[in-house]
Amino acid sequence: MSRRSRGSNTWEVRASTLARNTHNLIRDIVENLQVEPNPNKPLIALSVGDPTTFGNLNPPEQVIQAVRDSIEWLSSRSYGPAKGHLEARQAVAQYSAHQGPIAPDDVILCSGCSHAIELAITAIADSGQNVLAPRPGFMIYKTVSEGLGINVKYYNLLPDQQWKIDLEDLESQIDDDTAAIIITNPSNPCGSVYSKEHLCEILEVAARNRVPIIADEIYEHFVFSNHEFTALSALSKDVPILTCSGLTKRFLVPGWRMGWVIIHDRHNIFGHEVRKGMANLATRILGPNTLIQRALPAILSCTPQSFFDDVVLFIENQAKLAFEELRCAPGLRPMMPQGAMYMMVEIKMSLFPKFKNELQFVEKMVAEQSVFCLPGQCFMYPNYMRIVLTVPEDIMREACKRITIFCKDHIVSRESLKEIDSNLVNVSSEAEVICASKC
Ligand SMILES: *Cc1c(COP(=O)(O)O)cnc(C)c1O
C-alpha cells in the first residue's frame, strides 16, 4: 500500500509504524507526571537507574587506564567485525565461564545490554509471536518488541515469596506462539536473586514446553551477603539460553554502551540458522564501538575483586539503611532486596485515600518533599514505588526522612478511617498496626 501519490505536490512524510509503535513506558509516565519540586528543598532523585548520577561510584583506575591505552591503537578506531573483535569475544567468554562452557563464537558484542536484549528477542521472535516477561519487570523488553509486532505477555512474581516466579502462572501464559521466556535475575526493579532450586524449577517449565530462555543477567554477581548468584545457563541441561549482560552496571559505565549476548545451546537446538541469524542482525550496526572493544580484555581481567566487593557492600548497606528507615514510615512496606541496586516499597494506598493511585502519591511527594521515586506503573505494578540504592548515604538518610514525613502528613487518621467506609475494617486494623507498633 503506497502512502502517497508520486504526482502529489505537497510533502507527505510520516513516521514509520515501527517508530510510532515504539514506546519507553518509563519515559512516557515520567514525562506526564507533574513533577515540580518544592523550591525550598533540593531535589533528590531516587528514580534514575544510573549508578553514575551522584558521582559517588566510579570505575577503578585499571578500567579507566584500559580505555586510555585503547585510544592509542589503530584497531580502536577502525571498523571491527560485526560480532566484535575476536580478542574481545575471547575475553567475554573467559569472564563468563561461570555460565558454562563458552567459545568465542558463542559471543556477540552489542551496544549495551539493551541492544543485546533486542538482538536476542528479534533473533528468535517474529511478528505475531510473543515473549513472556516478568511483572513487575524492566520495560526494555516491551520497548524493543512491540513496534515489531512481537507481543509481550506477563507472568507474575510473588512479592511475599521474595519475588519468586509464580510458576503456574508462567506455564499458563505459554502458548503456540511463545518464542521465548525472559528471566531477569537478579531483578530490576525487585532486587531478588533466585536460588538454584528456583532456577531449576524455571528450567523445568521451559523444557516441558520446549521454549527457549532469554536470561537478562546484567546484575550478575550483584548479590548481597548470604545470597548466591547462579547463571541460569550453568544449570540448563537442554533448554537453549541466550544470556544478556555487559559492563554497564557492574563496572559503573552505562554510557560506554558495551554489552553482549552469549549463546548457550549444548544440544544444538538453535542450530546453524539462529546463530547465522544473530550474526546477520549484528551487521545492522556493524558492531559496537571499538574503543571499548579494544579495552575489554584489560577491563575484564584487571579489575580487582575488591572493587566489586566494595560496590556491592555499599549498596547492601544502603539497602539496610533504607529498609530500617522506611519501615518506620506509616503506610509503607519496604521489601528488602537480595541484590541488584533497587528496592521496591509497597504503598498501602487504602491508607492514603487522598491519592487515587501511586502516581499521585509520588507526584505529591515531589511537590512537597522534593523526593522522586519511580511509580510502580513504570514496571506494570501499581501500588509500589522503586527507589535506587546507589545514592550517597547522607542523601539516602535525608530522602528517607522526607518520605517518612510525607507519609505521616498524608496517612489517614484513625477517626476518618472509620467514617470512610465500613468495609475498610480490615484496613483500619492494618492501619493501627502500621501507625502504632512499628517504631
Ligand atoms: C540497566 C539494565 C539493562 C540495560 O543496560 P544497558 O547496558 O545500559 O543497555 C538491561 N536490563 C536490566 C534489567 C537493566 O536494569
Side-chain angles (χ1 to χ4, degrees):
M1 190 182 66
S2 74
R3 292 210 309 220
R4 63 190 293 270
S5 50
R6 270 295 144 212
S8 164
N9 53 13
T10 55
W11 285 88
E12 285 174 52
V13 183
R14 294 205 48 206
S16 69
T17 313
L18 175 60
R20 279 181 287 122
N21 292 345
T22 299
H23 300 281
N24 182 312
L25 191 67
I26 295 187
R27 298 263 154 98
D28 291 354
I29 290 177
V30 171
E31 273 161 24
N32 280 315
L33 286 178
Q34 259 124 45
V35 280
E36 251 332 295
N38 179 343
N40 299 319
K41 297 184 183 208
L43 178 70
I44 303 178
L46 298 182
S47 51
V48 197
D50 177 343
T52 68
T53 308
F54 290 84
N56 56 325
L57 296 172
N58 295 291
E61 176 55 27
Q62 291 90 333
V63 166
I64 304 287
Q65 188 58 43
V67 178
R68 274 192 209 113
D69 293 343
S70 171
I71 207 165
E72 303 291 339
W73 293 82
L74 177 62
S75 65
S76 76
R77 301 193 284 276
S78 357
Y79 285 121
K83 285 170 64 175
H85 278 293
L86 178 62
E87 298 75 20
R89 286 185 289 116
Q90 261 162 349
V92 171
Q94 213 161 37
Y95 169 79
S96 309
H98 63 281
Q99 295 180 12
I102 304 168
D105 252 0
D106 301 330
V107 179
I108 297 174
L109 298 186
C110 297
S111 182
C113 184
S114 311
H115 178 226
I117 291 163
E118 179 186 7
L119 201 142
I121 292 176
T122 53
I124 54 178
D126 262 320
S127 165
Q129 287 189 294
N130 62 69
V131 293
L132 308 187
R135 175 177 54 211
F138 191 53
M139 277 301 129
I140 192 83
Y141 317 124
K142 190 181 166 81
T143 305
V144 303
S145 302
E146 237 176 16
L148 296 166
I150 301 164
N151 301 314
V152 181
K153 292 170 72 179
Y154 295 93
Y155 59 84
N156 291 323
L157 306 183
L158 302 166
D160 294 313
Q161 296 179 42
Q162 291 174 314
W163 302 104
K164 272 165 64 170
I165 294 174
D166 181 339
L167 294 165
E168 243 170 74
D169 184 47
L170 172 66
E171 190 148 19
S172 76
Q173 301 289 338
I174 299 174
D175 62 31
D176 291 348
D177 294 320
T178 302
I181 300 169
I182 300 167
I183 304 290
T184 318
N185 181 49
S187 157
N188 174 8
C190 305
S192 48
V193 178
Y194 294 145
S195 66
K196 279 192 183 130
E197 293 71 34
H198 191 50
L199 293 171
C200 287
E201 292 170 335
I202 296 165
L203 285 166
E204 273 168 38
V205 173
R208 199 159 44 237
N209 295 278
R210 309 267 189 274
V211 185
I213 288 180
I214 296 172
D216 181 350
E217 296 182 354
I218 186 76
Y219 297 100
E220 57 186 345
H221 312 298
F222 238 111
V223 297
F224 303 157
S225 31
N226 304 321
H227 294 283
E228 189 192 3
F229 167 75
T230 309
L232 199 58
S233 53
L235 301 172
S236 175
K237 292 191 196 76
D238 42 7
V239 179
I241 298 181
L242 300 175
T243 302
C244 303
S245 188
L247 293 185
T248 299
K249 305 285 172 30
R250 197 163 185 235
F251 293 81
L252 308 170
V253 290
W256 287 3
R257 312 310 301 136
M258 179 54 63
W260 47 80
V261 50
I262 301 179
I263 305 167
H264 296 277
D265 184 20
R266 289 187 202 155
H267 299 285
N268 209 19
I269 290 163
F270 283 142
H272 176 67
E273 190 184 271
V274 171
R275 280 176 186 271
K276 181 73 173 40
M278 293 182 74
N280 292 344
L281 289 172
T283 65
R284 292 170 66 99
I285 67 157
L286 307 177
N289 86 72
T290 46
L291 179 65
I292 306 301
Q293 283 193 45
R294 187 68 184 66
L296 207 47
I299 291 173
L300 295 179
S301 62
C302 300
T303 303
Q305 184 60 37
S306 59
F307 162 77
F308 299 127
D309 295 345
D310 290 350
V311 172
V312 173
L313 184 64
F314 171 77
I315 293 173
E316 180 173 358
N317 285 335
Q318 298 296 93
K320 286 180 183 157
L321 171 68
F323 183 79
E324 283 308 317
E325 295 285 323
L326 295 181
R327 239 167 33 93
C328 301
L332 298 188
R333 182 170 70 129
M335 318 283 278
M336 184 65 191
Q338 306 163 312
M341 41 186 235
Y342 313 95
M343 178 184 281
M344 284 289 263
V345 180
E346 186 184 1
I347 308 166
K348 306 272 184 194
M349 291 309 304
S350 53
L351 301 180
F352 301 97
K354 256 186 258 177
F355 306 122
K356 204 170 77 216
N357 51 35
E358 96 280 1
L359 290 175
Q360 290 187 352
F361 181 99
V362 301
E363 246 174 17
K364 193 76 171 174
M365 198 155 73
V366 176
E368 292 184 1
Q369 297 294 338
S370 297
V371 176
F372 183 35
C373 306
L374 274 193
Q377 282 180 36
C378 290
F379 309 97
M380 306 279 290
Y381 213 67
N383 306 332
Y384 281 76
M385 59 183 179
R386 186 198 74 173
I387 62 174
V388 306
L389 301 170
T390 48
V391 303
E393 188 185 323
D394 53 334
I395 297 184
M396 178 64 93
R397 246 178 232 291
E398 172 68 18
C400 291
K401 207 171 82 193
R402 292 194 209 165
I403 293 172
T404 307
I405 294 171
F406 181 79
C407 290
K408 285 182 176 156
D409 285 349
H410 293 284
I411 193 137
V412 66
S413 69
R414 274 178 228 192
E415 298 74 57
S416 50
L417 239 190
K418 285 170 199 141
E419 287 163 29
I420 295 170
D421 195 334
S422 54
N423 64 24
L424 283 177
V425 179
N426 296 347
V427 170
S428 153
S429 53
E430 184 172 37
E432 270 165 84
V433 173
I434 288 171
C435 299
S437 76
K438 280 208 312 188
C439 300

